[in-house]
Amino acid sequence: MSGDSPANAQRNATIDDVAQAAGVSKGTVSNVINGRVTVAPETRRKVEQAIADLSFRPAESARALTSRKRMDFEPKLDASVPRLTAVGYVSVDYFACLDRLPEREERRLSREIIKSIGGPAANVAAIAAGLGAPLQLAVSLITVIGMDQESDWAAAELADRRVDLIVPREPRQGRLDRAIVMVEADGRRTIINEPSNLAEVDVRRFIETNDPAGTSWCLHLEGYQVPRQIGLMAAARAKGFRTSMQATGLTTEWLARHAGEMFAAFDIVVLHRETLAMIPGCPAEPEAGLKHLAARAAKADAWPEIVAVTLGAEGAATLTRGGRIDHVPAIPVPVIDKTGAGDAFVGAFLAAWLNQRSAREAASLACIAGSLAVTCFGAQELRPLADDLTGCRESAAELAITPETSRSTDRVAVDLS
C-alpha cells in the first residue's frame, strides 16, 4: 500500500547535495554546520543558501555527535581524562604506490595515488585520540589551516577523528601545505614537501589562556616546531603543563647546538636512531648511545623523565631519569608504507604515559602501534584501539591484518583469532 505523494517520496537532501549546489567540499559544509572552523563569509553565504534551497536538515544523530565532540573538548572536561595538545602543521599528502622510484626523465605508472592527511603533530594527535579506554585522551591540535577546500577537508577529517583544532583567531588565508610521498614495494618512501605558506603557530596565547590545574595535560611539539617554541616550555611547565617533543623535523645543526637545552626543556623526548649521532659526543650505536645519555643524565641538573629512541624493525629503547634502560621489540608485520610509523609510536606512547603506564609498558604499546602503522598506506589510516594494542602484545597467535574495505581512509581490523 502506497499513499505517498511524489513530494513525500522524494529523498531528503544530503550533505553531498549541499556541497555540490554550493560548489564547495563536504568538509566546508560540515564546518558551516558545526561551527568548529571559521569559514569565509562569501563561502558561508553560498552554503547557507544551498541549505535553504534544498531544505537540508542535518540528522539529529549527527547534530548530537557534533555537540558531544565540542563538549568533550571543553576546558571543564572531567579532570580524570588526561589531555594532549600537539603543536604543528597539517598537510595533505599524495601517496604514489610504485614498484621502484623513477629514473631521471622516466615516467612511471603508480598502482594508485592516495590522498591522506599528514604532518607529524597531526598524525600523533589522530593516533592518540583514536585509542580510547583504557588509554583515553582528550586531544587537540594547535595549527593553522588555509582557505582552500583541502583545509576544509582536513579539518572535517580531524574532527571525525576526535581531534579538536585550535586555530588562530585571525582570518584564514593561504592553502594547506602539500607533500608527495613515493612509496616503493618494500615500504621505503621518498618525501617531497613544500615550504609552508601559512602563518606561524601561536603557542604563547594558548599557554597564557589555559590552566591545567587538576588535570594531566601534555603540550607536545613536533621537531619542526621545537626551535621556535622551546623558549615557551619553561612558562608551560610553570603553569603545570607537562611537555614532550619528537625529533622529526629537527636539523642536525640545531640539535648539535641545543641538545642540552632540549633535554632540559621537556619531560618526554622521543628520538630516532639517526638522531643519536647528531648529539655532540653521543655514539651512533644505540646501546652505547643510551649509556652515554644515562651518564649525562646522572650529571644533569635537569633531564627528561623518559628519553625514548625508536629503532625501526628492532623496536625501541627507553631511558628513565633514574638511569634504567629498557628495550622493547616491534612485532612482525607485512611492510607496506613506513610513513608515519614514528608518529604512531609517539601518539601511543604519550597516551600510555599520560594514563600512568610505565616507560617500558608505554614503549611496548607504542612499538605495536608503530608496527601496525606500516601495514597500510598513509600515516593516519590505521588508528588502532587501545584494546588492539594490548591484544597484540598479549596474544601468542600469529597476527593477521585485513582491511575492512578497499578505501584508504578506513580503519584496518586487527584479527587476533
Side-chain angles (χ1 to χ4, degrees):
M1 176 176 167
S2 175
D4 291 341
S5 67
N8 291 334
Q10 184 177 355
R11 71 177 178 86
N12 294 327
T14 68
I15 195 170
D16 295 293
D17 297 327
V18 173
Q20 184 175 1
V24 300
S25 70
K26 188 166 68 172
T28 299
V29 177
S30 176
N31 290 332
V32 170
I33 293 170
N34 63 38
R36 295 179 68 90
V37 178
T38 304
V39 177
E42 178 59 21
T43 302
R44 175 177 290 276
R45 185 196 64 77
K46 291 179 180 178
V47 172
E48 290 175 344
Q49 185 62 54
I51 289 173
D53 292 344
L54 295 171
S55 299
F56 174 68
R57 295 282 188 275
E60 289 299 325
S61 58
R63 280 198 292 236
L65 179 60
T66 298
S67 299
R68 187 172 74 246
K69 286 182 178 178
R70 281 202 296 267
M71 182 176 62
D72 283 352
F73 291 106
E74 287 294 322
K76 294 182 180 180
L77 179 75
D78 184 349
S80 66
V81 178
R83 296 173 65 87
L84 171 65
T85 299
V87 182
Y89 292 119
V90 181
S91 66
V92 55
D93 295 348
Y94 293 93
F95 289 79
C97 312
L98 305 167
D99 55 349
R100 62 169 177 81
L101 294 179
E103 303 288 344
R104 182 176 294 178
E105 300 289 342
E106 181 185 16
R107 187 183 186 97
R108 298 290 300 170
L109 181 66
S110 173
R111 295 193 300 276
E112 61 177 325
I113 295 178
I114 300 168
K115 181 172 119 176
S116 180
I117 299 175
N123 297 338
V124 168
I127 296 299
L131 291 172
L135 302 180
Q136 183 179 4
L137 291 183
V139 180
S140 53
L141 174 65
I142 303 176
T143 190
V144 288
I145 56 176
M147 286 292 294
D148 57 322
Q149 291 192 9
E150 301 287 23
S151 292
D152 294 332
W153 165 76
E157 287 291 308
L158 287 168
D160 285 343
R161 296 169 190 183
R162 301 189 63 78
V163 176
D164 194 35
L165 292 189
I166 303 173
V167 296
R169 293 179 177 272
E170 294 77 16
R172 291 161 54 190
Q173 54 185 323
R175 63 169 173 78
L176 204 64
D177 301 331
R178 299 169 182 166
I180 298 172
V181 184
M182 293 181 287
V183 183
E184 299 175 70
D186 61 1
R188 290 180 299 171
R189 79 277 192 220
T190 302
I191 302 175
I192 305 169
N193 62 284
E194 59 184 353
S196 176
N197 59 6
L198 298 172
E200 287 193 3
V201 175
D202 183 7
V203 180
R204 182 182 299 277
R205 184 177 182 280
F206 172 83
I207 295 172
E208 292 174 346
T209 56
N210 286 278
D211 182 5
T215 64
S216 180
W217 196 337
C218 179
L219 185 62
H220 175 77
L221 303 185
E222 65 181 23
Y224 295 106
Q225 297 293 324
V226 170
R228 65 172 63 103
Q229 311 290 359
I230 192 171
L232 297 173
M233 294 303 99
R237 290 171 119 180
K239 289 199 70 173
F241 288 100
R242 307 170 87 177
T243 58
S244 65
M245 58 81 63
Q246 64 189 108
T248 307
L250 280 181
T251 65
T252 302
E253 295 76 14
W254 188 93
L255 190 53
R257 294 194 304 268
H258 300 280
E261 182 184 358
M262 177 189 73
F263 287 123
F266 296 94
D267 298 300
I268 300 292
V269 170
V270 182
L271 308 175
H272 42 72
R273 186 200 304 265
E274 295 77 13
T275 315
L276 293 175
M278 302 179 190
I279 300 171
C282 185
E285 194 277 322
E287 188 64 28
L290 285 164
K291 290 180 179 178
H292 168 85
L293 293 180
R296 186 168 175 172
K299 301 175 183 178
D301 293 330
W303 192 260
E305 179 181 331
I306 305 170
V307 175
V309 181
T310 59
L311 303 173
E314 298 172 26
T318 59
L319 166 66
T320 65
R321 187 179 292 143
R324 178 187 174 98
I325 298 174
D326 282 305
H327 294 267
V328 295
I331 58 174
V333 293
V335 178
I336 303 299
D337 173 22
K338 296 180 181 179
T339 306
D343 301 334
F345 176 95
V346 175
F349 186 94
L350 292 176
W353 172 66
L354 286 167
N355 280 282
Q356 308 301 313
R357 301 306 193 269
S358 68
R360 180 178 179 83
E361 183 176 3
S364 177
L365 295 172
C367 276
I368 295 170
S371 297
L372 295 179
V374 307
T375 61
C376 64
F377 290 104
Q380 296 183 26
E381 308 319 322
L382 193 155
R383 302 181 299 282
L385 298 173
D387 288 343
D388 294 335
L389 304 185
T390 303
C392 288
R393 186 182 61 179
E394 295 177 350
S395 175
E398 182 178 357
L399 181 69
I401 314 261
T402 52
E404 289 181 331
T405 77
S406 61
R407 293 183 61 229
S408 64
T409 56
D410 286 332
R411 282 178 177 261
V412 171
V414 182
D415 181 7
L416 296 171
S417 58

